Amino acid sequence: METSFASPAKRPELSEISLRNLLNPSQLEAVMHAPGSQVVLAGAGSGKTRVLTYKIAWLILEHGFRPHEILAVTFTNKAAREMRERVAHLLGYDAPLRWMGTFHSICARLLRFHADKLGYTSHFTIYDTDDQKRHVKKLLQAEGLENDLRFPLDAVRRTISNFKNQNLGPEDAARIAIDPYAQRMASLYAKYQNDLRGQDAMDFDDLIFLSIRLLKGFPEVRRNFSDSFRYVLIDEYQDTNKAQYQLIQLLLGEHRNLVAVGDDDQSIYGWRGADVGNILRFQQDFPEAKVTKLEQNYRSTANILAVAGSVIRNNRERMDKTLWTENAPGEKVTLMELDDEMSEAVWVARKIHGDEQYGPGGTAIFYRTNAQSRVFEDELRRRQIPYLIVGGTRFYERKEVKDLLAYLRLLANPRDDVSFMRVLNVPKRGLGDTSLKQLQEFALKNDLPLSEALPFAGEAGIATAATRKMREFHELLQGLRALAEHKSLPDLVLEVLVRSGYKAALENEDTDEAADRLSNLEELISAAQDFVDRLEEKTLAENAGENEEGELGVLEGTPLELFLQEISLVSDADALKASQDAVTLMTVHSAKGLEFPRVFVTGMEDGLFPLKREDDVDAEEERRLFYVAVTRARQDLSLTYARRRRRYGTYQDCVGSRFLREIDKEFLDIPKSYSAPKPSFRMGMAVGRALGRPDPMPKYEDMSQDEAPFRPGSRVRHLKFGEGKVMQVSGSGDSASAVVLFGDKVPRTLMLKFAKLDVLDE
């Protein structure tokens, strides 16, 4: 039974006079405009949710709209619940807002009424992402494509999803296919869709896609819904995609009472189909629309807003608005240049450590790509600063990182059957459960580790094709073990990545997810190089008689063994479990909708933030992403970048982000750059032990390359490697390093602080 309206005498006081005391003038204008179409441009921290909730309450109390006649779309279920609770508080009763929710939840409800018209029952199953993956895997197996590198599971799943988000059915995909690959993909899409219908199931994308099909194909159904929804409100309108846009148009009745709330400056999901043009073109779609700008920010200091504004105004495709605040100016925004990503992590961690004003719980570290978290995680662990990862997984717990580490563990220990089982079919080699079971039985019977049983696959009764693949895998492991004897650790990790086929498999997927996973594996190579640098530092210290008594016994082993040991200690550091009072680490995309007292936006280099882009459209989205990052900070903001950064274990020179050059310098505090000391090998290996507090921050000495005695072409002598020639010099201060080619023709990167090189006379 539907809840009845409260009588006028019992209604809460929500008159225009009371609203004037509760809302600022722009918010009041947005709430009171009714009926008709309207776009509310809600800048960051301007009270968007407040406006939406008051708007719904105002429509019900003052304009007589019944709760079930209002369609209100949010982008998360949590936002819908909070909005429903706020509206209930304003109304004084729990209004039956049946049609408030996400696009997907609303479409699921809509489809339950009329699923039979599309060949489904009203009891259809909704597949989540894991269900969808299993279904695609089954399809690829049936089509004989399970091991075809042109059709990786995730790429096929993502392509089908993209088709639906563009409102393209299998017949549309077939019509626009321009080559045999696209034709085969369209065929897979058609079979996938037929199979789902046969199982009375829909995937997540189907909810919107099939709702559009229903409304277009059955005009009477569309008319019933559009007549029922007398007012439509859409939150985060800038993040709607093509299919969602079409759905909105179909659900609008002749009244055209549409309220679009959003901020084109915060449209950051173009990579997953969002079209910022939906909000930019709103006035073309609705020429009569009322435009209201919410420009007063209640979150950030004036200096933080000034930095955000000076950058975002460089976007050409945007609606004109300027954030302002009555908050105090606050501290200027810190812009810090560091030597490299390790120095960046040390500087950030030292700013956090021991700070009582914000503490770990009031601090967030943002980065553009997930792979960047690794150096911050390592440094926070070394300093016993608790942290948590939002919207991602801790670096060493990511699947691709664990896969590659399993290869390395198997090289270090051929008897490691757990690692063997993890990598035997990674990437896919077409080895089934039956063949693996036969190999396990043979190994158990002959007391062999699985890796040593591989050459005997034929004797184990395994089919010829599988035997050949197992012998190829055995040859791969043997070849990698041979390389491990003379290759440096970073080079070995790279060889494993390439020779295993893992790198090629990710590249063939050609998806954003695969690219992100490959970036994480590149970062693992850099982690190996960092480890080698610290190991070399320790060796030099020992030669100088500086090692602690008893430490050698703990650290004996090959570089590979010690590297794996350090990572194991990192994973088992119980003392570092995240708590509420923990630093928050996340990509900028994950930070949307959040706010923190203190924020560090890191990796501000061209090619990283912004990422390398092909056109102005992508560059403008990157600028919007920076705007989102900056406006998450309430009181304290730092922007950092490095002069060089590792990729595949090798340093590459970097240039500060073009966005930094767009900031008005009057709002910046730019300290003299310095080189933070690298974490020691001893400190890294001691993760998980009780370390105590690190020493106070030392004074730094800036050593520029111009003043250094080492230049490219200089002849030098090293105590261990003999005479050599300097090929390259980079960094400064404690981070200065040189690539030296010695008599054995092996180039070595040496930290000048520890290498104790003697310059020979020319």
Side-chain angles (χ1 to χ4, degrees):
M1 181 176 176
E2 199 173 288
T3 306
S4 61
F5 287 138
S7 65
K10 295 181 180 178
R11 277 192 287 179
E13 194 64 37
L14 202 64
S15 65
E16 180 178 345
I17 295 175
S18 65
L19 285 179
R20 289 186 185 279
N21 296 324
L22 296 168
L23 305 171
N24 68 38
S26 296
Q27 292 173 336
L28 182 66
E29 176 185 290
V31 168
M32 294 187 63
H33 176 75
S37 57
Q38 178 182 15
V39 58
V40 179
L41 298 176
S46 63
K48 165 176 68 73
T49 304
R50 185 178 182 83
V51 166
L52 270 171
T53 53
Y54 274 88
K55 179 87 178 181
I56 293 171
W58 181 258
L59 290 173
I60 294 171
L61 290 176
E62 298 301 323
H63 289 271
F65 290 97
R66 300 175 70 83
H68 67 268
E69 294 175 330
I70 295 175
L71 171 63
V73 183
T74 65
F75 264 73
T76 67
N77 289 311
K78 178 183 177 183
R81 286 194 301 271
E82 292 177 351
M83 196 175 299
R84 190 176 289 110
E85 290 170 359
R86 292 193 191 188
V87 172
H89 176 73
L90 291 174
L91 294 177
Y93 68 95
D94 190 9
L97 291 162
R98 300 195 203 110
W99 296 98
M100 176 181 283
T102 64
F103 274 106
H104 294 95
S105 65
I106 287 169
C107 286
R109 182 179 176 85
L110 184 154
L111 287 167
R112 294 289 180 193
F113 287 109
H114 300 287
D116 60 307
K117 290 181 168 57
L118 299 174
Y120 294 82
T121 74
S122 61
H123 305 290
F124 61 83
T125 300
I126 299 175
Y127 280 176
D128 62 17
T129 301
D130 287 338
D131 295 328
Q132 188 184 16
K133 286 182 177 180
R134 283 191 288 271
H135 192 78
V136 172
K137 180 178 181 180
K138 180 181 176 182
L139 173 63
L140 293 175
Q141 289 173 336
E143 294 292 309
L145 299 173
E146 184 181 14
N147 298 305
D148 192 326
L149 295 179
R150 295 173 303 162
F151 297 94
L153 187 154
D154 283 331
V156 173
R157 182 184 64 83
R158 184 73 62 86
T159 300
I160 292 173
S161 178
N162 288 341
F163 278 137
K164 293 180 182 181
N165 286 332
Q166 294 298 312
N167 195 30
L168 297 173
E171 65 283 358
D172 301 311
R175 188 183 69 254
I176 64 176
I178 59 175
D179 55 42
Y181 174 82
Q183 292 166 2
R184 189 65 185 274
M185 193 67 80
S187 174
L188 290 173
Y189 179 20
K191 291 176 180 177
Y192 170 87
Q193 211 59 9
N194 287 334
D195 287 348
L196 251 64
R197 186 181 295 106
Q199 297 176 36
D200 198 24
M202 300 180 189
D203 64 27
F204 212 54
D205 298 309
D206 276 328
L207 298 177
I208 296 176
F209 173 69
L210 292 178
S211 291
I212 293 174
R213 293 270 162 136
L214 173 68
L215 296 173
K216 280 187 172 181
F218 300 90
E220 71 282 3
V221 174
R222 175 190 176 185
R223 189 162 47 251
N224 287 339
F225 279 108
S226 62
D227 288 347
S228 298
F229 299 140
R230 295 178 58 204
Y231 232 101
V232 179
L233 301 95
I234 312 292
D235 191 14
E236 304 287 3
Y237 195 79
Q238 79 279 354
D239 292 331
T240 53
N241 59 32
K242 183 177 180 180
Q244 291 163 343
Y245 174 83
Q246 292 187 15
L247 179 70
I248 294 166
Q249 305 305 312
L250 290 168
L251 289 174
L252 275 180
E254 294 180 0
H255 53 71
R256 290 168 68 84
N257 289 333
L258 172 63
V259 181
V261 181
D263 181 7
D264 55 301
D265 288 336
Q266 296 186 73
S267 179
I268 60 174
Y269 298 116
W271 52 277
R272 68 182 189 195
D275 183 2
V276 68
N278 289 347
I279 195 168
L280 294 176
R281 293 189 301 267
F282 190 87
Q283 288 177 278
Q284 296 177 27
D285 295 336
F286 300 88
E288 75 283 5
K290 171 74 172 178
V291 179
T292 305
K293 300 178 183 179
L294 305 184
E295 298 174 294
Q296 183 175 359
N297 176 281
Y298 293 92
R299 176 189 301 156
S300 306
T301 65
N303 280 327
I304 291 173
L305 292 184
V307 167
S310 63
V311 174
I312 197 63
R313 65 172 174 246
N314 289 279
N315 270 6
R316 287 175 289 185
E317 294 294 323
R318 66 183 294 262
M319 303 176 83
D320 182 48
K321 57 189 171 302
T322 303
L323 284 184
W324 61 276
T325 184
E326 293 180 347
N327 295 338
E331 298 294 328
K332 289 187 176 183
V333 172
T334 300
L335 174 59
M336 193 69 206
E337 177 189 79
L338 286 311
D339 251 359
D340 53 28
E341 71 272 23
M342 293 296 294
S343 299
E344 182 179 48
V346 170
W347 184 82
V348 170
R350 289 194 167 197
K351 292 278 285 185
I352 297 170
H353 187 268
D355 179 83
E356 296 182 357
Q357 182 177 359
Y358 301 107
T363 301
I365 301 173
F366 297 164
Y367 34 79
R368 180 62 183 84
T369 65
N370 278 306
Q372 291 169 254
S373 77
R374 196 268 305 175
V375 289
F376 295 105
E377 291 185 63
D378 287 351
E379 188 59 32
L380 292 173
R381 277 192 298 264
R382 290 184 185 108
R383 297 180 182 278
Q384 299 287 287
I385 300 173
Y387 70 90
L388 57 89
I389 302 282
V390 173
T393 306
R394 292 184 178 225
F395 181 79
Y396 292 110
E397 295 173 6
R398 292 168 188 162
K399 178 188 181 300
E400 59 276 11
V401 173
K402 294 180 75 171
D403 286 343
L404 209 60
L405 288 174
Y407 269 106
L408 296 173
R409 290 192 175 98
L410 192 56
L411 298 184
N413 176 16
R415 304 190 68 85
D416 185 351
D417 284 353
V418 172
S419 294
F420 178 91
M421 292 288 290
R422 184 178 184 99
V423 301
L424 177 63
N425 250 338
V426 177
K428 292 179 180 178
R429 296 186 173 87
L431 293 168
D433 293 339
T434 301
S435 299
L436 178 57
K437 184 177 179 181
Q438 290 175 301
L439 183 71
Q440 289 174 312
E441 291 173 349
F442 181 86
L444 181 64
K445 181 179 179 180
N446 292 277
D447 193 26
L448 290 172
L450 290 172
S451 65
E452 293 182 12
L454 285 172
F456 307 103
E459 298 176 29
I462 298 173
T464 303
T467 293
R468 175 177 54 79
K469 292 173 183 176
M470 286 188 175
R471 286 177 176 165
E472 289 174 353
F473 185 56
H474 176 70
E475 291 170 1
L476 168 67
L477 295 178
Q478 291 294 95
L480 290 173
R481 286 196 186 102
L483 288 175
E485 295 179 2
H486 64 272
K487 284 278 186 182
S488 69
L489 179 61
D491 287 344
L492 176 63
V493 180
L494 177 59
E495 290 288 349
V496 172
L497 176 60
V498 174
R499 294 194 181 202
S500 66
Y502 208 141
K503 183 173 184 287
L506 290 175
E507 290 174 339
N508 286 332
E509 281 191 28
D510 194 27
T511 64
D512 291 334
E513 181 182 354
D516 195 44
R517 293 170 63 193
L518 188 56
S519 294
N520 290 332
L521 294 176
E522 292 176 11
E523 185 61 27
L524 183 62
I525 298 171
S526 295
Q529 183 62 60
D530 290 338
F531 178 85
V532 168
D533 289 347
R534 287 184 280 119
L535 182 60
E536 184 173 307
E537 171 194 328
K538 174 191 172 293
T539 302
L540 292 168
E542 288 174 356
N543 290 338
E546 298 174 4
N547 58 295
E548 294 181 2
E549 184 178 357
E551 187 183 2
L552 281 176
V554 176
L555 301 180
E556 285 180 342
T558 66
L560 174 58
E561 292 167 342
L562 293 175
F563 179 58
L564 294 172
Q565 176 183 321
E566 177 175 85
I567 291 172
S568 296
L569 289 173
V570 161
S571 301
D572 295 334
D574 293 334
L576 298 173
K577 290 180 180 177
S579 65
Q580 285 189 336
D581 189 26
V583 178
T584 302
L585 277 69
M586 66 178 74
T587 64
V588 182
H589 280 104
S590 298
K592 178 82 181 294
L594 303 176
E595 58 183 72
F596 301 88
R598 173 172 55 181
V599 168
F600 294 90
V601 184
T602 64
M604 292 300 307
E605 298 129 35
D606 267 346
L608 184 57
F609 199 174
L611 283 177
K612 185 177 181 180
R613 293 300 184 183
E614 301 299 326
D615 54 44
D616 291 340
V617 174
D618 287 334
E620 293 215 345
E621 177 154 323
E622 289 286 309
R623 191 176 279 108
R624 294 194 294 268
L625 191 59
F626 175 77
Y627 174 83
V628 167
V630 168
T631 54
R632 299 311 94 192
R634 293 206 297 261
Q635 297 163 268
D636 187 84
L637 174 66
S638 295
L639 311 173
T640 65
Y641 67 99
R643 289 190 288 264
R644 60 177 188 163
R645 191 173 291 269
R646 288 193 199 272
R647 188 179 180 194
Y648 285 110
T650 302
Y651 278 118
Q652 295 184 359
D653 291 335
C654 302
V655 177
S657 170
R658 69 194 70 176
F659 300 156
L660 300 179
R661 298 190 289 275
E662 295 171 356
I663 299 173
D664 292 337
K665 298 303 183 286
E666 64 179 294
F667 305 116
L668 294 176
D669 174 27
I670 309 177
K672 182 180 180 182
S673 63
Y674 66 84
S675 302
K678 295 293 190 298
S680 69
F681 180 83
R682 182 179 302 122
M683 192 178 213
M685 290 298 294
V687 171
R689 308 173 196 161
L691 293 178
R693 290 187 174 274
D695 294 332
M697 184 183 294
K699 294 181 180 179
Y700 293 95
E701 179 182 351
D702 189 14
M703 183 184 74
S704 68
Q705 292 186 30
D706 292 338
E707 298 170 350
F710 306 103
R711 304 176 185 278
S714 299
R715 302 292 302 175
V716 295
R717 179 184 289 112
H718 186 273
L719 183 63
K720 178 178 178 180
F721 304 119
E723 293 187 11
K725 182 179 180 180
V726 176
M727 308 302 294
Q728 179 183 339
V729 179
S730 56
S732 61
D734 290 339
S735 295
S737 66
V739 178
V740 183
L741 188 66
F742 292 100
D744 57 5
K745 303 302 180 185
V746 176
R748 291 179 172 83
T749 302
L750 304 176
M751 302 300 292
L752 297 180
K753 178 179 179 179
F754 304 104
K756 296 181 172 57
L757 294 173
D758 294 325
V759 180
L760 303 178
D761 294 333
E762 297 294 338

